Amino acid sequence: MDIIRNPDGSLVVPIIEPRHHDGDDVAGAPSDEAGADGAPTTRLLHPGEGGYSDALSLWDLQQNPDHTTISTESGREEAMSVVHTLAESSPHDVATALSDVHDAAASGEALRHVLIGGTHSVEAFSDEVAEAEGGEPLAAHQMTKIIGEVLAELDK
């Protein structure tokens, strides 16, 4: 099952059943079949929840399994500018924010690298954006949501 990204940024992720080894079953005990016990087979994750950043990077990889773009310094700088612009605006007009970007693929790759690094990487990127562009650092869940919006727009 694929990860599904909703318009509000939330992700529907499959729940992976724990593996059972042949010797783990107790004689006469019922075996757990996937979904047979009525347990949910998916989970809804919102920005800021544990596992959201990892799920978003997996969703992005699912959308772009063959991407071979390389992140560049200018791509990272443009990505920081776009993220800052979106953080300062409401509602987020991602297409307009990306209109001045010279190398959208490199900017997207820079943002993918941030997500792959997990929460600490997102927090460090938020600090870096605040230092370079001004303002206060965004909370990790807000930064992750904006990065997801940018990547979704780049994938169109």
Side-chain angles (χ1 to χ4, degrees):
M1 172 184 219
D2 289 340
I3 296 171
I4 300 167
R5 184 174 188 277
N6 295 320
D8 68 353
S10 62
L11 300 170
V12 178
V13 298
I15 295 175
I16 300 171
E17 291 290 322
R19 293 176 56 165
H20 297 281
H21 299 284
D22 292 336
D24 290 348
D25 291 338
V26 177
S31 62
D32 289 328
E33 297 289 328
D37 61 0
T41 57
T42 62
R43 178 170 179 217
L44 183 65
L45 293 175
H46 292 89
E49 284 188 79
Y52 181 86
S53 294
D54 292 335
L56 185 60
S57 63
L58 289 172
W59 170 83
D60 183 60
L61 182 60
Q62 172 185 298
Q63 303 305 306
N64 303 291
D66 299 327
H67 76 82
T68 57
T69 306
I70 297 173
S71 177
T72 63
E73 185 176 341
S74 63
R76 186 172 179 87
E77 290 169 1
E78 288 184 324
M80 288 192 299
S81 178
V82 166
V83 167
H84 176 74
T85 299
L86 292 172
E88 296 292 315
S89 67
S90 184
H92 297 167
D93 185 1
V94 181
T96 301
L98 286 168
S99 65
D100 293 332
V101 172
H102 293 89
D103 190 351
S107 294
E109 189 64 18
L111 294 174
R112 287 181 181 92
H113 282 281
V114 169
L115 289 180
I116 289 170
T119 302
H120 295 295
S121 177
V122 173
E123 290 169 344
F125 184 70
S126 182
D127 291 338
E128 189 178 350
V129 170
E131 185 177 316
E133 302 288 332
E136 294 295 317
L138 292 177
H141 72 278
Q142 293 170 313
M143 179 64 72
T144 302
K145 183 176 181 185
I146 290 173
I147 290 171
E149 291 172 358
V150 172
L151 292 175
E153 181 68 26
L154 289 173
D155 289 343
K156 287 184 179 178

